[in-house]
């Protein structure tokens, strides 16, 4: 019985210590990143924020409210069924929406600029978001939302 226990202890210690040695030998060492001074007036991209900005009611509620505030010109209603739009905006440190921009691949329609202006107006009327944070402090963060406008005729 003693030789068996001695064998188990020897195998266990060999396996344990050999794995640690291999891990230390071949693993990539983590270096501590150099802390850059954080500029809180800079506009950070969404993925660069430590805590992402978000709409307090959730995105479903945000889009429901947005649809209520958005007016679609009749000329667009007659021509299109579905329009895909990217809405880009900045959530300020106080949660306000600014720097609203839109892009779409629907350049075929003459009135697409009118629709873009209406989207900007609707976004400007939206309630504040919870701001994003960088290093624990509120920061300006750019958000890009894909939006599909489905027009029922």
């Amino acid at each position: 019985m003693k030789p068996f226990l001695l064998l188990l202890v020897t195998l266990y210690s060999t396996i344990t210590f050999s794995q640690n040695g291999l891990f230390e030998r071949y693993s990539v060492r983590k270096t501590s990143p150099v802390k850059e001074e954080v500029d809180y007036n800079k506009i950070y991209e969404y993925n660069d924020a430590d805590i992402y900005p978000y709409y307090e009611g959730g995105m479903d509620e945000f889009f429901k409210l947005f649809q209520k505030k958005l007016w679609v010109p009749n000329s667009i209603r007659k021509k299109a069924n579905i329009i895909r739009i990217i809405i880009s905006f900045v959530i300020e440190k106080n949660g306000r929406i600014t720097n609203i921009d839109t892009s779409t691949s629907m350049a075929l329609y003459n009135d697409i600029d009118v629709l873009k202006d209406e989207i900007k107006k609707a976004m400007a009327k939206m309630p504040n978001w919870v701001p994003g944070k960088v290093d624990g402090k509120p920061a300006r963060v750019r958000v890009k939302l894909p939006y599909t406008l489905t027009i029922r005729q």
Side-chain angles (χ1 to χ4, degrees):
M1 183 71 173
K2 286 183 183 180
F4 180 71
L5 287 176
L6 183 60
L7 178 66
L8 282 178
V9 170
T10 306
L11 284 175
Y12 176 76
S13 61
T14 303
I15 292 170
T16 304
F17 292 120
S18 66
Q19 285 181 350
N20 284 343
L22 290 175
F23 179 76
E24 289 172 6
R25 183 177 299 154
Y26 295 108
S27 66
V28 177
R29 299 192 191 282
K30 292 184 178 181
T31 58
S32 60
V34 176
K35 277 287 192 185
E36 295 179 16
E37 188 172 316
V38 178
D39 179 10
Y40 295 104
N41 291 321
K42 172 185 170 185
I43 297 175
Y44 290 89
E45 293 301 319
Y46 187 80
N47 289 333
D48 294 337
D50 297 334
I51 297 175
Y52 302 136
Y54 62 93
Y55 184 69
E56 206 160 10
M59 290 311 293
D60 289 338
E61 289 299 317
F62 175 80
F63 283 122
K64 283 179 189 176
L65 185 59
F66 177 71
Q67 273 186 313
K68 288 179 185 176
K69 294 181 183 285
L70 179 63
W71 175 78
V72 180
N74 287 332
S75 57
I76 297 280
R77 286 182 186 275
K78 292 176 184 175
K79 295 177 188 174
N81 291 331
I82 296 175
I83 300 176
R84 289 181 180 83
I85 302 163
I86 302 293
I87 305 170
S88 172
F89 52 94
V90 173
I91 303 297
E92 296 291 336
K93 294 184 256 186
N94 62 1
R96 202 167 41 102
I97 297 173
T98 62
N99 298 1
I100 304 163
D101 192 26
T102 60
S103 63
T104 182
S105 61
M106 304 297 281
L108 303 173
Y109 303 113
N110 295 335
D111 297 336
I112 201 70
D113 289 334
V114 175
L115 178 62
K116 287 181 177 183
D117 288 341
E118 290 301 323
I119 289 171
K120 289 177 185 178
K121 287 179 188 176
M123 286 297 293
K125 295 176 187 175
M126 296 299 289
N128 288 355
W129 285 39
V130 175
K133 292 185 178 183
V134 174
D135 282 348
K137 294 184 181 175
R140 302 171 75 201
V141 180
R142 180 178 317 283
V143 177
K144 293 181 182 176
L145 292 178
Y147 180 69
T148 303
L149 177 62
T150 304
I151 301 170
R152 295 185 189 97
Q153 299 190 357

